[in-house]
Amino acid sequence: MSETYQSKRERRQRLLETLPAALRAHISIRNVEAVAALTPQAQERLTEAVQAGLKRLPRAVEQLQINPDTSVADLLNPPAQPDPVTASQGSDYPQHIQHELADLIQVCFPDMPRMSAEALANSDVMDMAHTTAQAHHLLLASNHLRTDFVAMVVYGLIRQTLEHLEEMIEDTPALRQAFDQGDLPWKPNNWRKQNA
């Protein structure tokens, strides 16, 4: 069963209450999950940056996910990046992720006009997809991913997630029908059965 808007808002409000007091007033409900996922050290650094005048919170949170030791100066004035991750149309998500999601929406629903796909990609209903896409980009950029135990555990986590999604699709006739009618390849994995 999908989460309702109200329950999502209540869950995010509870998360907001777990953040350090000095940080709470500066975090929007939309950003609370990403901030709550930061290490305590990174949350402390974010608090320092906010108190020093930080305005671009999502970009700072993304940087602190990569490196919790990022200086306050770098959070306030991030170094120029070759691939700009500027937000589009006031959105809190990097533009390259917005485009990636719009492209995927059009793969899944080829008859959808590009403008509609972009609007859907920018909507709140796609928050989980944005968060997942950002996590994947951070994951693939990590030097630690080349370590055998990290790679194996991450791979296991992703396979478990895929398994849960496949079970949900198989147990929900409307979702199964959408996959059967869509262009996205539907290939359930047998990982669980092989390891049982």
Side-chain angles (χ1 to χ4, degrees):
M1 185 167 103
S2 62
E3 187 175 31
T4 67
Y5 173 79
Q6 185 62 32
S7 63
K8 183 178 190 178
R9 186 166 180 77
E10 289 169 2
R11 180 177 51 78
R12 286 179 170 178
Q13 189 63 43
R14 286 190 302 272
L15 269 178
L16 184 63
E17 297 302 318
T18 67
L19 295 178
L23 194 54
R24 279 185 218 143
H26 303 283
I27 305 300
S28 69
I29 289 292
R30 181 180 190 153
N31 294 315
V32 73
E33 289 174 306
V35 174
L38 292 174
T39 64
Q41 173 188 354
Q43 288 179 0
E44 184 177 320
R45 187 61 52 96
L46 183 62
T47 303
E48 293 170 12
V50 166
Q51 290 170 343
L54 177 70
K55 300 292 183 219
R56 305 258 345 237
L57 188 80
R59 188 170 184 176
V61 170
E62 190 173 297
Q63 179 57 39
L64 287 167
Q65 288 170 333
I66 296 168
N67 179 9
D69 293 322
T70 302
S71 70
V72 171
D74 282 347
L75 292 175
L76 293 172
N77 298 305
Q81 298 181 6
D83 177 25
V85 285
T86 56
S88 66
Q89 301 170 353
S91 169
D92 287 341
Y93 295 102
Q95 191 171 21
H96 68 97
I97 290 188
Q98 302 286 10
H99 289 305
E100 183 179 321
L101 291 179
D103 291 345
L104 279 171
I105 290 167
Q106 286 198 290
V107 167
C108 297
F109 303 96
D111 295 337
M112 185 178 290
R114 182 64 184 188
M115 187 177 288
S116 299
E118 288 176 0
L120 181 57
N122 289 322
S123 70
D124 286 346
V125 74
M126 295 297 285
D127 278 351
M128 259 310 138
H130 287 121
T131 303
T132 302
Q134 283 183 304
H136 286 179
H137 283 277
L138 291 172
L139 167 72
L140 296 173
S142 172
N143 292 330
H144 300 296
L145 189 59
R146 304 272 182 244
T147 308
D148 57 356
F149 64 88
V150 173
M152 291 180 72
V153 169
V154 167
Y155 183 79
L157 286 170
I158 291 173
R159 291 295 299 253
Q160 286 177 351
T161 300
L162 183 58
E163 184 179 301
H164 290 299
L165 284 171
E166 289 169 350
E167 286 175 7
M168 183 180 64
I169 292 164
E170 287 175 355
D171 293 342
T172 310
L175 287 176
R176 181 58 194 251
Q177 183 179 6
F179 272 87
D180 289 342
Q181 292 174 351
D183 289 339
L184 194 66
W186 165 246
K187 248 173 95 171
N189 75 68
N190 295 318
W191 188 49
R192 181 181 57 184
K193 294 172 189 149
Q194 291 171 357
N195 292 323

